[in-house]
C-alpha cells in the first residue's frame, strides 16, 4: 500500500494540468491513477485523427494561454470551397460557402494529443496505467484509494472522473445526497458521440472546390469536416455519425456512411487508406452503461463542486465541474487550474 500526499484520479487535460501545477509549485509527492492503458481521456488522436476533442475558439482564453505557454501551435479549420447542406434526401445537394472573414475554429498542430503529450512529459513517472479507482474510504486524516489492482493512501484526492461516472464508485462515508443527485444528472459531455475518421492519399474534395464539410441530420453522418494536418501532407475527413446507427453492425454502418458520402463528395471516398470509428458511449472510462437517451442538464459547474468533501480531503474536478465553459477543453483547463489552486492553498 503506497502512501502519497496527493492522488489525482484521471490523466485527461484536467488531471495532467493539476499535476503540472503541483510540480511547478515544488510539490512532487503525488500519483496519477488512470483507468485506461493510455493518457488523454476524451482527448485521443488516432492515426492523425482527433477521435475525441478537436476544436477550440478564440474566447477559450485559458486554453489559448496554456497552448501559448507550452509553445503548442494551432491552425484554422479548413473551410475553403463549397460546403454541402443535406436537409432532404429527395432534394439535390444544397451548397453554401463559409464567411472567410468570420473567426475560424482552431485545431491543434499534431492533433489535440499534442497538448496531452506535452502536459505528460514532466509527470510521466507519476502515472499508473490500467488503474481503475473503485472505492474511496475516509480513514482518519487520509483517504484510502482502492483500485482494481492496488490500494493507495493519500492526504488528499482530486477526482477528474466525469461526475456521472464517479457516482459508480463506493464512498465511505457516503457522499451527501445533494452532491450525489447533481453528479448523477450531470451529463458527460460528448459521451454519446460516435466519431468517424477517413484518410486518403489526396484531398480529392479540395480538387473539386469542396470544403469537405457535409452537414445534415437525416444522413448517417450528421457533420463532416476536412481533417487534414496543418502542413497539408496527410489528408482526411472526420465527423460525427448519426446516433440512430449506434445499434447497427459496424460493417453496415461503414457501408451506409461510405454510400452517403459518395453521393455528396464523389466515388473517390472509396479509395480511403484508413477508416476508424469510435462510439464513446461504449467506453466505460467516459460513459455509463444503458445510454438509451441523453438528458442534457445545465448542471456544469454546479456549486456543489466548489466545496471539498471528506473533511477537506476530496475534491471533484474535471470539465463538468467547471462553471467556465464546462464540457469543453476550456472547462477542463479551467478546472485543472482551479483544483491545483484549491489544493495548494489548503496544503502547501
Ligand atoms: C467525441 C468528442 C468530441 C469532443 N469535441 C470537443 C471539441 O471539439 N472541443 C472541445 O473543447 N471539447 C470537445 N470535447 C470535450 C473534451 O474532450 C473534454 O472537455 C475534455 O477532454 C475533458 O477533460 P477532463 O480531464 O475533464 O476529462 P476526461 O478527459 O474525461 O478525463 C478523465 C480521466 O479519468 C479517467 N477515469 C475515468 N474513470 C476512472 C476510474 N474509475 N479510475 C481511474 N481513472 C478513471 C479516464 O480514463 C480519463 O483519462 C469532445 C469530447 C468527445 C468525447
Amino acid at each position: 500500500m503506497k502512501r502519497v500526499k496527493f492522488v489525482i484520479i484521471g490523466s485527461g487535460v484536467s488531471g495532467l494540468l493539476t499535476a503540472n501545477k503541483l510540480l511547478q509549485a515544488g510539490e512532487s509527492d503525488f500519483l496519477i491513477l488512470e483507468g485506461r492503458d493510455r493518457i488523454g481521456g476524451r482527448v485521443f488522436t488516432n492515426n492523425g485523427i482527433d477521435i475525441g476533442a478537436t476544436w477550440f475558439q478564440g474566447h477559450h482564453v485559458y486554453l489559448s494561454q496554456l497552448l501559448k505557454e507550452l509553445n503548442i501551435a494551432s491552425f484554422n479549420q479548413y473551410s475553403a470551397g463549397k460546403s454541402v447542406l443535406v436537409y432532404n434526401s429527395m432534394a439535390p445537394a444544397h451548397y453554401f460557402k463559409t464567411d472567410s472573414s468570420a473567426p475560424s475554429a482552431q485545431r491543434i498542430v499534431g492533433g489535440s494529443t499534442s497538448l496531452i503529450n506535452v502536459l505528460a512529459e514532466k509527470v510521466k513517472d507519476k502515472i499508473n496505467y490500467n488503474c481503475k479507482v473503485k472505492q474511496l474510504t475516509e480513514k482518519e486524516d487520509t483517504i484510502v484509494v482502492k483500485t482494481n489492482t492496488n490500494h493507495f493512501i493519500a492526504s488528499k484526492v482530486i477526482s477528474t472522473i466525469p461526475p456521472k461516472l464517479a457516482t459508480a464508485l463506493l464512498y465511505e462515508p457516503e457522499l451527501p445526497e445533494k452532491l450525489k443527485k447533481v453528479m448523477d444528472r450531470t451529463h458527460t459531455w460528448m459521451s454519446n458521440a460516435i466519431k468517424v475518421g477517413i484518410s486518403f492519399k489526396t484531398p480529392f474534395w479540395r480538387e473539386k472546390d469542396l470544403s469537405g464539410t457535409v452537414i445534415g441530420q437525416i444522413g448517417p453522418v450528421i457533420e463532416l469536416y476536412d481533417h487534414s494536418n496543418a502542413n497539408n501532407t496527410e489528408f482526411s475527413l472526420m465527423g460525427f455519425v448519426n446516433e440512430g446507427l449506434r445499434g447497427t453492425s459496424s460493417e453496415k454502418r461503414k457501408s451506409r456512411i461510405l454510400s452517403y458520402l459518395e453521393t455528396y463528395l464523389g466515388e473517390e471516398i472509396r479509395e480511403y487508406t484508413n477508416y476508424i470509428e469510435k462510439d464513446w458511449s461504449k467506453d466505460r472510462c467516459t460513459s455509463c452503461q444503458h445510454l438509451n437517451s441523453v438528458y442534457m442538464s445545465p448542471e456544469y459547474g454546479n456549486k456543489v463542486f466548489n466545496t471539498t468533501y471528506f473533511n477537506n480531503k476530496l475534491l471533484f474536478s474535471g470539465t463538468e465541474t467547471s462553471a467556465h465553459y464546462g464540457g469543453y477543453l476550456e472547462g477542463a483547463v479551467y478546472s485543472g487550474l482551479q483544483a491545483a489552486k484549491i489544493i495548494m492553498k489548503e496544503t502547501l
Side-chain angles (χ1 to χ4, degrees), residues 9-15 33-36 40-43 51-56 60 131-133 160-162 165 169 189-190 193 195 240 280 285-286 318-320 327-330 332 335:
I9 311 175
S11 68
V13 171
S14 183
L33 308 183
E34 171 52 56
R36 290 177 166 111
R42 277 171 278 173
V43 173
I51 211 73
T54 307
W55 301 280
F56 70 99
H60 292 160
C131 197
K132 203 158 188 183
V133 175
T160 72
I161 304 172
L165 266 190
L169 266 56
W189 181 242
M190 288 287 177
K195 263 201 172 182
F240 295 88
W280 286 87
C285 280
T286 291
T319 190
E320 280 78 17
Y328 293 92
L329 288 168
E330 173 75 352
S335 72

Side-chain angles (χ1 to χ4, degrees), residues 171 173-183 304 308-310 316:
Y171 298 88
E174 279 202 27
L175 296 176
E177 251 344 278
K178 182 160 182 231
L179 172 65
K180 282 201 284 184
K181 272 195 187 136
V182 171
M183 286 168 74
V304 294
T308 51
Y309 294 90
F310 280 14
F316 291 98

Side-chain angles (χ1 to χ4, degrees), residues 76-77 79-81 83 96-105:
N76 285 349
Q77 168 64 45
S79 63
S83 298
F96 65 98
K97 274 211 166 184
T98 312
D99 176 1
S100 57
S101 65
S104 169

